[in-house]
Amino acid sequence: MSREPRIRLDRVGKWFAAPTVAGKRTDALSDVSFELAPGEFVCLLGPSGCGKSTILNLIAGFEQASTGRVLLDGDPIREPGPDRGMVFQQPMLLPWLSVRENVTLGPRLAGQTPARYLPEAERHLRLVGLHDFADHAPWQLSGGMRQRAALARAWLPNPEILLMDEPFGALDAQTRLSMQELLHDIWRDTGTTILFVTHDVDEALFLADRVLLMSARPAGIRAEIIVPFGRPRDPEELVADTDYGRIKRDILHCVREEAARSLALDPA
Amino acid sequence: MTLESELTLEPYQGPAAEERTAAGPRPSRQPSRGHRHWPISVASVILFIAIWQLSGSLGWVDPLLLPPPSEVFRTATELALSGYRQTPLWQHFLISVARALSAFAAAIAIGIPLGLFMGILPMLNAVLDPFVQFLRPLPKIALIPLVVVWFGIGETSKFFLIFISSFLSIVVGAAASVTGVSQGRIRAVQTLGASRGQIFLYVVLPNALPELFTTVRLSVGIGWTSLIAAEMVAANSGLGWMVINAGTYLRTDVVLLGILLLGLTGYLFDWVLTRLQRRFAPWAGKDA
Ligand SMILES: Nc1ncnc2c1ncn2[C@@H]1O[C@H](COP(=O)(O)OP(=O)(O)OP(=O)(O)O)[C@@H](O)[C@H]1O
Ligand SMILES: [Mg+2]
């Protein structure tokens, strides 16, 4: 890639003060380096507890690296900002606002007038199938609907970078598939840079340009897979591709090995 | 490949008719406990009043010790028409309510902002907390001599006694209400560009609102309780004063009437606040 990376992690280590059996601190990340090119879609895969959310938190600016550098367009990241949107493992909607008020929170915090953001907001609500529920309270929606609202909320301000932490993990298989297709289409139309954490190899292979496999804690990047399939991708065609099975097998092999190592690490 | 070739998919008919009726219709939403059982509460109160009445009519209890409801009712109409000690009953009632409401209003207007600031500014909390914690459990009757010396025996003393007891518990409750906000919600609005002030307005404050309502309900209850203490300070009107004064003349019927009115008014305050809470903070305890 010849272009300047949008995000660069340079030998990043991160530990927490919480003591473990092995020592006085929890080492989450040992030595993580990777780059995200502008407009790239990268998936992060790894065993539970290896530090995937920690990486997103560092890029979002919620936490600071213990060692190494986390750079956005070449500058160190110090605090959260609207240029880096985030979809969390939980929807994290505000129960005191309606679905529409939640979705439009970004532009409203930026002081935009309704005339400017409402047409686009209505379009997003329709895209995620929540147009008829815009005036409902978030707690009147199902779990899947809430997560769709959270997706629309993160998209509406059009962030340059979108960090997604297993956003579809709690959805049923059908909704997940349609959300993946929706995400794919929006990404293609907007050119946002996306870092997407998932446990689901199929999801990663359907969405990503590149998959980063993480090792067990203290984690580093163990392998990088360039996803060779062209776009647009069709989920049904994809699984019939001869390369698909081979790549999926390789990834699963790595993931299971790391998962076994991470379980062996925790003596209990 | 088609599924239909291997499986015959018949339209689903639902469970057999007998099964459906046997199970009975399911209520769509469980009404809250208090709502479902209100007829029992009403019956219980009616039964209580009936036994109380019988105890007087059948001569079980000396009516001087416990006047029956009929006599309390007669006293109520009498006082409503001719007043107690030259003051009409409604005026005793209104003056007590006015004293209490003005003190509550001041306690809420000052206590909530102060408590919120203590909750978000640890320094301020460290400075004020020892005094608040010392004064809050203090029986307010102990303050009466000082209050009289400071403010005299006029309305200011009464206002101050009700004010101080509700104010202290509002401050403590408001300070606690802002601490329980989830990190996830704060982070969510930070990624949308919220400033510190916006985080407070959009997350911390609404998150605290249900607990603020609960705090106000508790504090209003405490303030109403201290009305008697306030009206012990050389008053000549008010429900609290009426009860104390009637006691010295053994007018137990007036005492009971006063107690009933004091209790019902406190109940009414709480009912109104509960209504407001449901209307303005319906998200209490809701996840999203
Ligand atoms: N605030 C914290 N304090 C102490 N330890 C933490 C903290 N946050 C994360 N950790 C530790 O860092 C490690 C990585 O956590 P992280 O949440 O990044 O895992 P993850 O890869 O996202 O896992 P999962 O797939 O289960 O979500 C874990 O061992 C966890 O115990
Ligand atoms: Mg995680």
Side-chain angles (χ1 to χ4, degrees):
Chain A
M1 260 151 273
S2 54
R3 281 192 285 177
E4 271 288 293
R6 174 123 285 168
I7 295 284
R8 194 152 93 90
L9 271 73
D10 183 19
R11 311 206 55 137
V12 169
K14 175 69 183 174
W15 54 78
F16 296 97
T20 61
V21 185
K24 280 201 297 288
R25 63 181 204 205
T26 310
D27 288 306
L29 305 175
S30 68
D31 183 6
V32 174
S33 300
F34 66 85
E35 295 179 354
L36 301 181
E40 208 181 5
F41 199 132
V42 174
C43 279
L44 208 52
L45 229 80
S48 175
C50 73
K52 303 183 293 297
S53 299
T54 304
I55 288 181
L56 295 195
N57 287 341
L58 291 173
I59 298 173
F62 299 140
E63 317 248 12
Q64 299 298 316
S66 310
T67 59
R69 295 183 305 161
V70 183
L71 305 174
L72 167 66
D73 295 326
D75 298 320
I77 292 170
R78 295 187 202 287
E79 55 183 14
D83 49 349
R84 284 150 291 144
M86 187 143 173
V87 183
F88 300 82
Q89 278 177 290
Q90 280 84 40
M92 294 297 172
L93 300 175
L94 303 180
W96 34 89
L97 302 181
S98 71
V99 171
R100 183 184 282 106
E101 288 166 336
N102 266 287
V103 167
T104 56
L105 196 54
R108 291 194 297 132
L109 290 171
Q112 287 185 19
T113 57
R116 261 189 74 190
Y117 63 74
L118 263 190
E120 192 62 7
E122 298 300 324
R123 198 176 71 83
H124 275 74
L125 282 167
R126 214 162 309 197
L127 275 178
V128 296
L130 288 177
H131 195 255
D132 294 339
F133 295 88
D135 295 314
H136 281 56
W139 36 271
Q140 293 169 323
L141 304 186
S142 75
M145 293 161 92
R146 290 179 203 175
Q147 197 60 346
R148 287 186 266 154
L151 185 67
R153 179 177 69 176
W155 270 117
L156 191 61
N158 228 326
E160 288 168 37
I161 293 151
L162 196 57
L163 306 166
M164 308 185 80
D165 197 348
E166 298 183 49
F168 308 145
L171 301 185
D172 64 279
Q174 283 78 35
T175 314
R176 187 183 315 168
L177 212 57
S178 52
M179 292 316 291
Q180 287 166 358
E181 287 178 291
L182 176 63
L183 174 63
H184 182 271
D185 291 349
I186 304 181
W187 167 74
R188 189 195 51 206
D189 294 344
T190 54
T192 303
T193 310
I194 298 184
L195 184 58
F196 188 103
V197 169
T198 178
H199 278 126
D200 182 345
V201 179
D202 292 308
E203 185 169 65
L205 289 179
F206 173 60
L207 289 171
D209 294 322
R210 206 149 52 95
V211 178
L212 297 175
L213 287 180
M214 292 182 69
S215 58
R217 192 175 60 80
I221 304 296
R222 169 168 166 174
E224 172 191 73
I225 295 102
I226 313 278
V227 180
F229 311 116
R231 295 182 194 266
R233 293 174 191 165
D234 177 46
E236 289 164 35
E237 300 280 311
L238 208 57
V239 290
D241 195 308
T242 44
D243 282 341
Y244 189 85
R246 187 181 49 77
I247 296 173
K248 183 173 175 181
R249 191 195 58 203
D250 290 350
I251 295 178
L252 275 178
H253 179 75
C254 270
V255 170
R256 290 184 56 200
E257 225 172 65
E258 292 302 333
R261 286 218 303 135
S262 104
L263 290 178
L265 262 181
D266 295 324
Chain B
M1 185 200 73
T2 54
L3 288 172
E4 284 81 358
S5 60
E6 289 143 34
L7 298 167
T8 35
L9 295 174
E10 283 180 13
Y12 179 61
Q13 303 288 349
E18 316 93 89
E19 276 176 50
R20 241 178 305 175
T21 44
R26 284 186 152 224
S28 58
R29 195 181 67 92
Q30 282 273 30
S32 74
R33 217 198 177 113
H35 270 282
R36 201 172 24 168
H37 294 315
W38 69 265
I40 300 181
S41 304
V42 171
S44 152
V45 171
I46 290 175
L47 185 70
F48 173 81
I49 293 175
I51 294 175
W52 175 14
Q53 178 64 45
L54 281 179
S55 74
S57 313
L58 301 178
W60 298 343
V61 187
D62 181 351
L64 184 65
L65 295 182
L66 184 69
S70 55
E71 199 183 321
V72 174
F73 184 74
R74 197 167 40 243
T75 309
T77 44
E78 181 195 313
L79 294 199
L81 293 174
S82 54
Y84 181 78
R85 309 273 157 198
Q86 288 86 48
T87 311
L89 185 61
W90 62 266
Q91 212 166 323
H92 286 297
F93 172 78
L94 278 189
I95 202 146
S96 287
V97 169
R99 280 169 185 154
L101 285 186
S102 58
F104 295 157
I108 291 170
I110 306 172
I112 286 186
L114 182 66
L116 290 176
F117 276 120
M118 282 172 68
I120 55 175
L121 302 174
M123 287 282 278
L124 184 65
N125 191 57
V127 171
L128 296 180
D129 195 55
F131 303 100
V132 173
Q133 295 301 352
F134 168 78
L135 284 172
R136 196 173 57 106
L138 190 75
K140 301 303 172 300
I141 297 180
L143 292 178
I144 288 179
L146 275 183
V147 168
V148 170
V149 173
W150 292 343
F151 300 114
I153 54 170
E155 287 303 318
T156 318
S157 305
K158 300 171 188 71
F159 171 88
F160 181 80
L161 282 167
I162 306 172
F163 167 80
I164 196 71
S165 46
S166 44
F167 170 76
L168 290 167
S169 83
I170 283 178
V171 168
V172 173
S177 73
V178 291
T179 54
V181 54
S182 94
Q183 187 188 47
R185 282 180 186 160
I186 291 181
R187 288 184 166 183
V189 298
Q190 280 182 318
T191 62
L192 296 168
S195 64
R196 286 172 69 93
Q198 285 175 323
I199 291 174
F200 182 77
L201 272 182
Y202 281 83
V203 183
V204 178
L205 200 54
N207 187 71
L209 197 58
E211 206 176 316
L212 284 178
F213 266 109
T214 306
T215 293
V216 168
R217 278 174 59 198
L218 288 173
S219 311
V220 159
I222 293 170
W224 189 240
T225 310
S226 58
L227 180 74
I228 298 262
E231 291 182 346
M232 278 166 71
V233 181
N236 50 20
S237 60
L239 289 178
W241 169 81
M242 188 178 90
V243 167
I244 293 165
N245 184 275
T248 59
Y249 295 95
L250 287 182
R251 286 289 306 271
T252 42
D253 54 333
V254 177
V255 172
L256 272 176
L257 177 66
I259 289 173
L260 279 179
L261 289 176
L262 282 169
L264 286 175
T265 312
Y267 195 86
L268 182 73
F269 286 156
D270 199 64
W271 182 82
V272 169
L273 284 167
T274 311
R275 278 296 152 125
L276 290 175
Q277 180 167 15
R278 274 200 217 129
R279 170 76 182 74
F280 291 106
W283 56 84
K286 297 284 201 305
D287 257 338

